[in-house]
Amino acid sequence: MLTLSSGCFVEERAALLDIRSSLIRAHSPIALDSWGKDGDDCCSWERVKCNNTTQRVSHLDLSSVYFTMDVDDRWYLNFTVFSAFHELQYLDLSYNYQCSLSSEGFVGLAKLRYLNLSDTMWEVGFPEFIGEIVSLEVLTLSGNRMTGGLPDAAVKYLRNLRILNMSWSNFNGSLPESLFSLPHLKILDLSINNFGGHIPISSSSGPILLEVLDLSYNNLSGNLPVTAFESLQNLRELYLSSNQFIGNIPTFLFSLPHIEQLNLSTNYFEGPFPINPSSDLSLSLKSLRFSQNNLSGRLAFVWLGNLTKLEEIDLSGNAKLVIDVNIPGWTPPFQLKQLLLCGCDLDKNIISRPEFLGTQRHLKVLDLSNNNLSGSMPNWLFTKEATLQDLNLRNNSLTGSLDPIWHTQSSLSRIDIHMNHVTGELPANLSSMFPVLYDLDFSINDLFGHIPTSMCEISSIGYLDLSNNKLSGEVPACVFTNYPELSVLKVSNNKLGGPIFGGMNNLSNIYELRLDGNKFKGTLPHDLAGKLVRVIDLHDNQLSGELNVSFWNMSYLRVLNLAGNRITGKIDQHICGFTEIHLLDLSRNNLTGSVPNSCFIVLNFLNLTGNSLSGDISFPLFNTSSLIALDVRHNQFMGNVNWVGYLENIRLLSLGGNKFEGQITPNLCRLMYLRIIDLSHNKLSGSLPACIGNISFKGDTNDQFFQPANEITWVSDDYTTSYELMYFTFATKGNFYTYGRSFFVSMSGIDLSANMLDGEIPWELGNLNHVKSLNLSYNLFVGPIPTTFGSLKDIESLDLSHNKLSGPIPWQLTQLSSLGVFSVAYNNLSGCIPNSGQLGSFSMDSYVTDLHNITQGNMCAPGPDPVVEEDVGEVPSDPVLYIVTAASFVLAFWASVAFSFCHPHGRTIILKL
């Protein structure tokens, strides 16, 4: 017999103190210090609740009592401690990061009805002991990093379960059939896992009591089981979004008697939208979400006329679905809270003739983006009674201005009119119009005038984008000081001027700052501070003076773009202190001197082109394997290029317009991910390594190395952004092209022009069948043009001019169907010009030569199929060829004699002979 100790059983009090001791040993900041200090009655302790009759512990809340930032720390909790609580019904151990649990002793909890282990277990499989707690009614395991699948026996015997939540837990494999055989289960949430296969509901399962089924964000596939789903007559909410389901959407889903929420967004459903004028729709429907599928047909909102409870419609991303909204004389019986029709075949008069929208007085979210809607800016939406919180009208063709707006929109937190034709000035009373805005995007419009200082009174702004307009004047200094929540500021490509950052040197809590493409002047502050800054883009302004970053306090800086300014002096050695920097662009300035050695550790993109930098470049200068793009063109760098072979992840290598010398190292052939190489206008000599023909130049964007290649992306607690690669150029087809986001899939090429390379062109270069541009002009190459060049199937520009090449133009080049620019001018070529394929379309400028061995009109027909040029020795003679040739000669001779006898003048000559 165990006696009570002041209203608390001794064994239970001891077990609680053991739990407290384990937290102390684990250095928990929450050590439940009150336990034991508030008297001996453990029933009165915080997080503990006892049965009023037996005085036994019935409820124990240990959620969020342990957290550590040290990856080596753990809270080791032995479950045998819970065997003391014979009447425990409720146990919450959720949100205890890095807790190591043992399973012994849990089987003794015969009355446990509620168990929550969310965000507690990491890198473990499904705990088998849970399947033995047959009294459980509520089981929550969400937010765990489980390994493996969910065994069929895991929940097979938990026949009392009413609620099962295992979302966010990394489970994979198939769904166990036993899940859909639990007789009392009403809520099943398996969202955000990696389950695959089909939904194992069969028509033989009998009636299923499920009311809520959430399988969203998995990898489930196939058609929905039509007959099986008909057994879900109690279903109120069905969430199947973000899977891989195919086929038509079953019509019966809309007729389930209790259905309220239907979300099948982001799948591969196709076919007509399954609602028509005669559809038998459940009157309980509140939400219809079918966005991001491939639905077609037509939906008229009048067909939803009986759905008086309808609050949400999301059909975005179904470009083939015709949606009729305005029905003359029809007043809908429902009041929507959310209407999302982005990128549909939408009624173009939805704004200009607001017959439907004018009836919806409770709208909180309205998304009509990407529909090419015309008409004036719908300021009529901003009524005194309006409840709008989120308005998205981006990428349309709206005109007009933001004036007049007479009524304060006290609920509107986000407004996006990006990429329209809205004009006029920013209203001076913008802060009174939208006092609680967090996200404001007016970019790519025709706004002009100044940025009103009153905008600084909207202290809640976190995202402000006014880029690509015609705004002028200065950016008010208060923009950099009055926004405690501002994380993104974009005013790119306007006509703004004045001192940079409004003369301020503290960037507060800004993450991303883009002021490029303006007229800002002055020198960058040497003591610039921004503890959270990730991006500073100031390219193409009028900044001057030296770049002094000696006292910059920005330890998280990842992007610094100062291209196209008037910055002078040397590159400050302190720039090496930015250990997190991924993109550095100092191109098109007036920088001099050398580049600091061994400076950049995690750098992906470096652009120094168009300066007066000098020095002998060697491997220690770019001692990083992380470089993806390096552009140092048009400087005065010198030395050899042997160091490039160590840039193992490089895609773009542009060293043109410098003073590099020596031979091209075979180490270059180790660069297996290379897309662009530009070594033009240097002093390189010697022969061209044949192994260059082994580089794929393929640029497979599915390659894991290419995932970060297009942009730099990062995520923090409240901020996600990306910075696209920009301002890398390459010369092809006689012009310079600038490539941005699509660079790694739109161009691949080699430019070795204007050097002193000699010897024969290696035939192995014919293996470069993914190269689009090849420029070997202005060198000293000799010998024939390789016939293997006929295999360059993707080539668009081929320049071999101004060399010492000899022999004929290979007819195999007529196979190059994509060729748009071609030149072999100023060589020692001879013979005829193949006049078929693309070669016949070029002017004589492509063939002109000082020796006049090739002349206009000296055309020839194509020969047989191309053969890869190899060292195969002498080819034996073909006797059949000799016979055909001799026969042709004899026929031609006697034909000539016969013609001569038939012609009078010919007979005279023959007779005289």
Side-chain angles (χ1 to χ4, degrees):
M1 294 289 295
L2 295 173
T3 58
L4 290 174
S5 173
S6 302
C8 179
F9 279 81
V10 173
E11 62 173 349
E12 294 185 339
R13 182 177 184 275
L16 292 173
L17 292 177
D18 281 346
I19 294 172
R20 177 177 176 270
S21 298
S22 68
L23 285 170
I24 294 174
R25 289 192 299 270
H27 309 292
S28 173
I30 302 174
L32 302 174
D33 293 335
S34 64
W35 284 13
K37 294 182 180 179
D38 295 340
D40 293 334
D41 185 6
C42 60
C43 293
S44 64
W45 293 355
E46 62 173 326
R47 297 174 176 265
V48 180
K49 183 179 179 181
C50 294
N51 185 294
N52 292 332
T53 302
T54 64
Q55 292 299 299
R56 286 278 190 179
V57 173
S58 61
H59 289 64
L60 191 54
D61 182 1
L62 296 176
S63 63
S64 305
V65 296
Y66 178 75
F67 182 81
T68 179
M69 296 297 294
D70 192 334
V71 295
D72 296 324
D73 282 348
R74 291 287 190 279
W75 177 26
Y76 293 97
L77 180 61
N78 194 325
F79 273 10
T80 56
V81 71
F82 295 105
S83 62
F85 306 110
H86 300 305
E87 296 187 12
L88 190 64
Q89 299 181 32
Y90 179 103
L91 178 59
D92 191 346
L93 287 166
S94 62
Y95 305 108
N96 290 302
Y97 177 68
Q98 305 231 120
C99 178
S100 291
L101 307 175
S102 64
S103 61
E104 293 85 358
F106 233 38
V107 293
L109 301 179
K111 296 185 178 182
L112 192 63
R113 299 167 58 193
Y114 178 97
L115 177 61
N116 191 342
L117 297 175
S118 300
D119 285 280
T120 297
M121 298 181 295
W122 289 68
E123 303 296 342
V124 297
F126 182 84
E128 294 183 3
F129 67 88
I130 292 179
E132 300 174 3
I133 311 175
V134 296
S135 58
L136 277 178
E137 297 179 15
V138 178
L139 174 60
T140 303
L141 297 175
S142 63
N144 290 301
R145 188 178 296 171
M146 298 291 191
T147 58
L150 183 63
D152 190 66
V155 296
K156 184 175 183 179
Y157 302 106
L158 303 182
R159 309 286 289 177
N160 293 306
L161 270 184
R162 294 182 294 105
I163 300 175
L164 177 58
N165 184 351
M166 292 191 286
S167 60
W168 287 85
S169 287
N170 205 39
F171 285 115
N172 55 38
S174 301
L175 293 172
E177 290 188 21
S178 58
L179 283 171
F180 300 93
S181 301
L182 299 176
H184 302 291
L185 191 63
K186 292 187 176 182
I187 298 177
L188 176 59
D189 187 352
L190 300 178
S191 61
I192 318 178
N193 281 286
N194 295 309
F195 288 114
H198 67 285
I199 301 176
I201 302 178
S202 64
S203 55
S204 61
S205 300
I208 299 176
L209 297 181
L210 264 178
E211 297 180 5
V212 178
L213 177 59
D214 191 347
L215 301 176
S216 57
Y217 294 94
N218 279 282
N219 296 314
L220 300 169
S221 58
N223 291 278
L224 293 184
V226 177
T227 57
F229 261 83
E230 291 177 345
S231 62
L232 298 173
Q233 292 296 304
N234 292 314
L235 204 61
R236 291 186 294 105
E237 302 175 17
L238 177 62
Y239 306 99
L240 301 178
S241 62
S242 299
N243 279 283
Q244 300 174 31
F245 292 115
I246 60 174
N248 295 332
I249 296 176
T251 306
F252 73 86
L253 290 178
F254 299 87
S255 304
L256 292 172
H258 305 290
I259 196 68
E260 298 176 4
Q261 306 277 340
L262 274 178
N263 190 344
L264 278 67
S265 299
T266 318
N267 280 284
Y268 298 102
F269 291 115
E270 57 186 0
F273 193 79
I275 291 181
N276 56 56
S278 60
S279 294
D280 181 19
L281 304 179
S282 173
L283 300 181
S284 58
L285 275 169
K286 294 181 179 180
S287 177
L288 298 173
R289 293 184 175 272
F290 299 92
S291 64
Q292 308 304 323
N293 281 286
N294 193 28
L295 300 174
S296 58
R298 178 172 175 258
L299 172 65
F301 274 22
V302 70
W303 300 344
L304 309 176
N306 292 329
L307 304 183
T308 58
K309 298 180 180 179
L310 193 61
E311 296 179 346
E312 299 175 354
I313 297 177
D314 184 0
L315 301 172
S316 299
N318 290 287
K320 300 177 182 178
L321 179 60
V322 177
I323 300 177
D324 294 334
V325 175
N326 291 329
I327 311 297
W330 176 64
T331 302
F334 49 78
Q335 286 292 319
L336 297 178
K337 294 181 179 179
Q338 296 191 24
L339 177 60
L340 297 95
L341 301 175
C342 165
C344 299
D345 190 351
L346 182 60
D347 185 343
K348 297 299 185 284
N349 296 319
I350 188 172
I351 286 180
S352 59
R353 286 174 39 213
E355 297 170 0
F356 173 77
L357 286 180
T359 67
Q360 301 301 299
R361 299 180 299 276
H362 299 160
L363 274 175
K364 295 183 177 180
V365 177
L366 177 60
D367 185 353
L368 303 178
S369 60
N370 300 304
N371 280 298
N372 197 29
L373 301 177
S374 58
S376 296
M377 180 70 189
N379 295 334
W380 51 264
L381 282 169
F382 305 120
T383 64
K384 184 177 181 180
E385 298 80 15
T387 57
L388 269 177
Q389 299 175 1
D390 187 331
L391 176 61
N392 189 349
L393 301 175
R394 67 186 290 131
N395 197 16
N396 283 292
S397 299
L398 300 176
T399 58
S401 68
L402 293 168
D403 275 334
I405 297 177
W406 305 111
H407 303 289
T408 297
Q409 301 301 298
S410 56
S411 300
L412 192 64
S413 62
R414 178 175 182 261
I415 179 171
D416 187 345
I417 59 171
H418 164 87
M419 199 177 292
N420 279 280
H421 304 294
V422 178
T423 187
E425 298 188 28
L426 291 170
N429 64 335
L430 197 66
S431 59
S432 60
M433 291 162 48
F434 309 123
V436 296
L437 269 183
Y438 178 83
D439 188 331
L440 186 152
D441 191 342
F442 291 171
S443 60
I444 314 184
N445 279 282
D446 297 318
L447 300 171
F448 56 83
H450 293 189
I451 299 175
T453 56
S454 63
M455 180 174 277
C456 297
E457 298 172 13
I458 313 176
S459 59
S460 57
I461 281 188
Y463 182 100
L464 177 59
D465 191 350
L466 302 174
S467 58
N468 294 281
N469 281 284
K470 301 173 184 177
L471 299 172
S472 57
E474 298 184 5
V475 177
C478 60
V479 169
F480 301 95
T481 59
N482 284 29
Y483 291 145
E485 303 295 328
L486 186 64
S487 59
V488 177
L489 174 61
K490 299 180 182 180
V491 293
S492 309
N493 302 315
N494 281 283
K495 300 177 182 180
L496 298 166
I500 194 68
F501 308 139
M504 301 292 105
N505 63 351
N506 190 334
L507 300 180
S508 187
N509 294 320
I510 294 177
Y511 279 74
E512 184 176 350
L513 189 62
R514 303 197 190 193
L515 311 181
D516 53 283
N518 284 288
K519 300 178 180 180
F520 293 111
K521 298 181 179 180
T523 304
L524 286 170
H526 72 282
D527 56 350
L528 192 63
K531 60 182 180 180
L532 299 177
V533 173
R534 267 69 167 177
V535 174
I536 295 181
D537 189 347
L538 307 176
H539 78 265
D540 291 307
N541 278 285
Q542 299 175 15
L543 303 177
S544 58
E546 296 189 358
L547 177 60
N548 182 354
V549 299
S550 55
F551 294 101
W552 282 22
N553 180 17
M554 289 182 288
S555 56
Y556 293 106
L557 187 65
R558 300 198 178 192
V559 172
L560 179 61
N561 191 341
L562 303 177
N565 282 283
R566 303 168 185 173
I567 299 173
T568 60
K570 297 182 177 181
I571 297 178
D572 188 353
Q573 178 71 35
H574 292 93
I575 207 167
C576 299
F578 302 137
T579 57
E580 295 293 321
I581 200 160
H582 286 248
L583 184 149
L584 177 62
D585 193 342
L586 302 178
S587 62
R588 298 179 291 118
N589 279 285
N590 299 313
L591 296 170
T592 57
S594 59
V595 179
N597 277 350
S598 302
C599 185
F600 309 111
I601 307 301
V602 296
L603 196 66
N604 296 135
F605 306 104
L606 177 62
N607 194 345
L608 301 176
T609 189
N611 284 285
S612 297
L613 297 166
S614 58
D616 189 343
I617 287 187
S618 58
F619 174 59
L621 181 60
F622 301 113
N623 186 10
T624 173
S625 62
S626 61
L627 265 182
I628 292 174
L630 173 64
D631 190 347
V632 296
R633 292 172 300 116
H634 307 303
N635 282 283
Q636 300 177 31
F637 292 117
M638 60 184 63
N640 60 51
V641 293
N642 295 339
W643 49 274
V644 302
Y646 298 97
L647 304 177
E648 58 189 44
N649 284 313
I650 201 77
R651 274 73 164 177
L652 179 146
L653 180 62
S654 294
L655 311 181
N658 282 282
K659 298 179 180 180
F660 292 111
E661 56 189 4
Q663 294 187 323
I664 296 178
T665 173
N667 290 341
L668 181 70
C669 305
R670 291 193 274 177
L671 307 180
M672 59 185 300
Y673 303 114
L674 202 60
R675 287 283 297 185
I676 287 289
I677 178 169
D678 180 0
L679 303 180
S680 64
H681 294 85
N682 280 287
K683 299 180 180 180
L684 300 172
S685 59
S687 60
L688 191 59
C691 61
I692 291 179
N694 297 327
I695 304 175
S696 71
F697 287 88
K698 191 175 181 180
D700 185 0
T701 54
N702 293 321
D703 189 315
Q704 60 176 336
F705 287 100
F706 272 77
Q707 296 305 316
N710 286 338
E711 58 188 29
I712 300 171
T713 304
W714 58 92
V715 180
S716 65
D717 291 341
D718 57 353
Y719 170 71
T720 302
T721 192
S722 61
Y723 188 88
E724 297 177 5
L725 169 64
M726 58 194 307
Y727 287 112
F728 284 94
T729 60
F730 181 66
T732 180
K733 300 182 180 180
N735 294 294
F736 279 96
Y737 293 88
T738 299
Y739 296 91
R741 182 180 181 89
S742 62
F743 174 80
F744 292 103
V745 294
S746 59
M747 177 47 65
S748 59
I750 301 174
D751 190 352
L752 304 178
S753 62
N755 280 284
M756 296 181 289
L757 300 171
D758 56 24
E760 292 192 1
I761 298 175
W763 66 264
E764 288 86 353
L765 266 60
N767 296 329
L768 301 174
N769 54 11
H770 291 289
V771 164
K772 297 184 178 181
S773 177
L774 177 60
N775 190 348
L776 303 178
S777 65
Y778 290 94
N779 278 286
L780 305 172
F781 289 115
V782 298
I785 298 173
T787 59
T788 56
F789 277 16
S791 299
L792 301 176
K793 63 182 181 66
D794 287 345
I795 200 75
E796 298 173 1
S797 177
L798 178 60
D799 192 348
L800 305 177
S801 65
H802 296 276
N803 280 284
K804 298 181 178 181
L805 300 173
S806 59
I809 299 175
W811 57 262
Q812 287 87 347
L813 300 188
T814 62
Q815 308 290 327
L816 305 179
S817 59
S818 299
L819 196 62
V821 173
F822 175 70
S823 180
V824 291
Y826 299 102
N827 281 285
N828 297 328
L829 300 173
S830 59
C832 56
I833 301 172
N835 64 350
S836 62
Q838 291 295 101
L839 296 193
S841 65
F842 301 119
S843 71
M844 287 305 296
D845 291 341
S846 297
Y847 305 100
V848 65
T849 172
D850 291 335
L851 301 180
H852 304 287
N853 291 332
I854 297 180
T855 58
Q856 190 168 9
N858 191 13
M859 298 289 186
C860 56
D865 293 336
V867 179
V868 176
E869 182 176 300
E870 296 183 19
D871 186 10
V872 294
E874 185 177 353
V875 180
S877 300
D878 189 345
V880 176
L881 179 62
Y882 285 149
I883 294 171
V884 173
T885 303
S888 301
F889 176 80
V890 170
L891 287 172
F893 173 79
W894 286 112
S896 300
V897 172
F899 176 80
S900 299
F901 270 107
C902 294
H903 196 279
H905 182 65
R907 282 196 301 270
T908 302
I909 294 175
I910 293 296
L911 292 173
K912 287 182 178 180
L913 291 175

